[in-house]
């Protein structure tokens, strides 16, 4: 992966002049991992505009750092930010990843950069797309294997544990996030924690889960029916499915984020359920389960500007628009208080030739 990390640092370095910085002090743990390959709880990397870099970490990780970060200077120091700061000219810090106390320890007068590494991370390279693809395959396979076991009497917790066990048995390194299994009336709560409620005939059951694979995340939601669904349940399902399809078809390079959201939200609104779909349509997926870009109804504000910087980067890294090679979820839902809900979610990659679906489980209503 060394060549990959070198390329990522070069892409980042090329953005620095537009932010009027000679270097960036990267302290966000996920960002450090992205730029160097080192996963740790205490490391920072200084990337200069000439694309050279120095990494600092403490004694716990120094061995791994020397192994993983071939080709860049590595220093052992527990105050990782303090150790790197004097090693460059005008250095910007990551405002989103530094405490106020940490900022003032460094002098309190450094340019504060926002989401610069995140803007590079948003567009994935081939290595990353392969890992997200694998995470999604494991998620699909776990669902297919657990599906025949779903029956009335099984509790939400038991269903969640079955999905999670299966993903790990199939090769996942862990879970992408805390699984959601919401049955019957609990389906009205978008982020319901699995409870001891047993599945009952007549329930819709929403399952939102995903595998973690070598640091990369998958995210999928399916809603199934236990026994023949009532008319209102099938109608709700068909509506959410149509909205999910509309959102997916709108997820094209160049599309404004709020327009993708609107493609799905519009259908739900027209059907009279707008007030029951309160969350955003989707989010980026990568080294984090929720990352840039965020598909929501919010119209673009001015992208966050670094302090004291008037020039913008040449290329707008998509604070407001989708681009080729950006993985996102599309996950509309309708939640009816006291009755239940439906959410359908895929992880897909925005591509020039149209969306590449990564979670491939059927979206037909499964009646169990
Ligand atoms: Zn999800
Ligand atoms: Zn999601």
């Amino acid at each position: 992966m060394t060549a990959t990390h070198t390329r990522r640092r070069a892409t980042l370095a090329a953005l620095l002049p537009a932010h009027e910085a000679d270097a960036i002090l990267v302290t966000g743990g996920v960002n450090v991992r992205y730029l160097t390959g080192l996963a740790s709880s205490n490391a920072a990397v200084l990337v200069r505009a000439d694309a050279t870099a120095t990494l600092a970490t403490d004694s716990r990780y120094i061995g791994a750092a020397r192994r993983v970060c071939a080709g860049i200077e590595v220093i052992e120091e527990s105050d990782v930010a303090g150790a790197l700061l004097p090693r460059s000219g005008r250095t910007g810090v990551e405002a989103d990843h530094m405490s106020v106390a940490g900022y003032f320890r460094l002098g309190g007068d450094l340019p504060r950069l926002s989401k610069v590494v995140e803007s590079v991370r948003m567009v994935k390279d081939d290595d990353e797309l392969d890992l997200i693809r694998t995470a999604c395959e494991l998620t699909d396979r776990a669902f297919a294997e657990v599906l025949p076991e779903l029956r009335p009497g099984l509790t939400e917790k038991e269903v969640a544990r079955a999905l999670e066990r299966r993903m790990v048995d199939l090769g996942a390194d862990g879970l992408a996030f805390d699984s959601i299994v919401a049955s019957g009336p609990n389906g009205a709560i978008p982020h319901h924690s699995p409870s001891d409620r047993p599945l009952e005939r007549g329930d819709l059951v929403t399952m939102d889960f995903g595998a973690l694979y070598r640091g990369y995340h998958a995210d999928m939601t399916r809603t199934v029916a236990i026994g023949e669904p009532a008319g209102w349940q099938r109608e709700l399902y068909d509506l959410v499915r149509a909205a999910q399809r509309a959102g997916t078809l709108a997820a094209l390079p160049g599309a404004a984020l709020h327009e993708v959201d609107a493609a799905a939200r519009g259908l739900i609104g027209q059907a009279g359920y707008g007030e029951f779909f309160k969350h955003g349509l989707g989010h980026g997926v990568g080294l984090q389960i929720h990352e840039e870009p965020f598909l929501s109804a919010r119209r673009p504000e001015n992208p966050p500007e670094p302090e004291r910087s008037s020039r913008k980067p040449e290329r707008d890294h998509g604070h407001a628009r989708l681009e080729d090679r950006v993985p996102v979820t599309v996950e509309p839902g309708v939640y009816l208080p006291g009755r239940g809900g439906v959410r359908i979610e895929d992880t897909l990659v925005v591509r020039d030739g149209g969306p590449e679906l990564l979670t491939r489980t059927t979206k037909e209503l499964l009646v169990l």
Side-chain angles (χ1 to χ4, degrees):
M1 286 283 273
T2 305
T4 301
H5 296 112
T6 304
R7 193 173 61 240
R8 293 174 186 170
R9 291 193 298 270
T11 304
L12 173 64
L15 296 175
L16 295 179
H19 293 282
E20 293 176 358
D22 302 319
I24 178 171
L25 178 60
V26 178
T27 50
V30 173
N31 289 346
V32 172
R33 180 177 187 172
Y34 176 77
L35 294 168
T36 67
L38 179 69
S40 83
S41 64
N42 185 33
V45 63
L46 183 78
V47 179
R48 302 176 192 82
D50 66 2
T52 60
T54 305
L55 176 117
T57 190
D58 66 41
S59 57
R60 294 171 296 167
Y61 302 107
I62 193 71
R66 295 214 165 100
R67 233 180 5 260
V68 172
C69 309
I72 65 173
E73 185 188 6
V74 173
I75 57 178
E76 182 180 337
E77 178 64 62
S78 52
D79 175 10
V80 293
L84 292 175
L85 188 63
R87 293 170 171 260
S88 65
R90 184 178 168 76
T91 301
V93 296
E94 288 195 294
D96 304 298
H97 302 289
M98 183 168 279
S99 68
V100 175
Y103 182 68
F104 282 102
R105 262 201 305 278
L106 295 176
D109 58 352
L110 300 167
R112 299 189 293 270
L113 307 181
S114 184
K115 301 203 190 301
V116 182
V117 182
E118 282 81 351
S119 71
V120 179
R121 268 175 47 197
M122 195 177 84
V123 178
K124 268 62 177 178
D125 49 47
D126 285 338
D127 297 322
E128 297 183 286
L129 292 179
D130 280 344
L131 296 175
I132 299 170
R133 236 175 244 128
T134 301
C136 289
E137 274 167 27
L138 296 171
T139 305
D140 275 333
R141 284 171 58 197
F143 185 76
E145 291 187 15
V146 167
L147 202 56
E149 299 171 10
L150 297 186
R151 58 175 192 280
L154 218 56
T155 68
E156 292 174 348
K157 275 185 189 167
E158 287 169 329
V159 174
R161 297 302 92 86
L163 289 166
E164 292 166 354
R165 250 196 322 272
R166 209 60 60 104
M167 288 191 286
V168 171
D169 286 349
L170 288 167
D173 296 318
L175 310 175
F177 54 93
D178 292 339
S179 312
I180 294 167
V181 176
S183 62
N186 293 337
I189 306 161
H191 270 220
H192 175 70
S193 292
S195 74
D196 292 318
R197 183 186 186 278
L199 311 192
E200 289 174 17
R201 211 154 263 292
D203 282 352
L204 292 175
V205 182
T206 296
M207 290 160 277
D208 187 350
F209 61 101
L212 177 70
Y213 186 71
R214 295 201 209 160
Y216 284 81
H217 296 75
D219 195 358
M220 179 170 85
T221 307
R222 290 293 184 271
T223 300
V224 302
I226 307 292
E228 203 46 51
W232 70 270
Q233 291 174 318
R234 196 173 274 282
E235 263 172 50
L236 206 58
Y237 189 91
D238 289 345
L239 173 63
V240 173
R241 189 178 171 196
Q244 207 276 342
R245 180 178 155 78
T248 299
L249 293 175
L252 296 169
L257 304 182
H258 70 278
E259 287 168 4
V260 181
D261 181 277
R265 194 173 303 277
L267 286 183
I268 292 174
Q270 280 161 29
Y273 290 100
E275 64 179 299
F276 303 112
F277 172 30
K278 289 208 171 84
H279 58 75
L281 182 65
H283 52 86
V285 177
L287 282 169
Q288 288 176 292
I289 179 63
H290 297 125
E291 60 177 53
E292 303 282 324
F294 292 92
L295 302 174
S296 79
R298 216 161 43 100
R299 293 193 153 258
E301 337 119 21
N302 294 325
E305 280 297 315
E307 194 185 271
R308 286 176 287 179
S309 170
S310 48
R311 280 183 292 155
K312 275 195 201 172
E314 293 253 308
R315 174 168 172 232
D316 178 352
H317 262 275
H319 288 289
R321 287 186 187 275
L322 289 179
E323 290 183 56
D324 186 38
R325 310 176 74 87
V326 175
V328 293
T329 68
V330 174
E331 50 178 307
V334 174
Y335 312 93
L336 303 179
R339 300 178 77 189
V342 174
R343 178 165 68 254
I344 304 172
E345 173 181 29
D346 281 322
T347 300
L348 55 90
V349 187
V350 176
R351 300 306 305 246
D352 286 332
E356 177 192 347
L357 201 58
L358 299 191
T359 47
R360 294 166 164 267
T361 297
T362 182
K363 288 182 283 288
E364 294 285 332
L365 176 56
L366 295 169
V367 178
L368 310 177

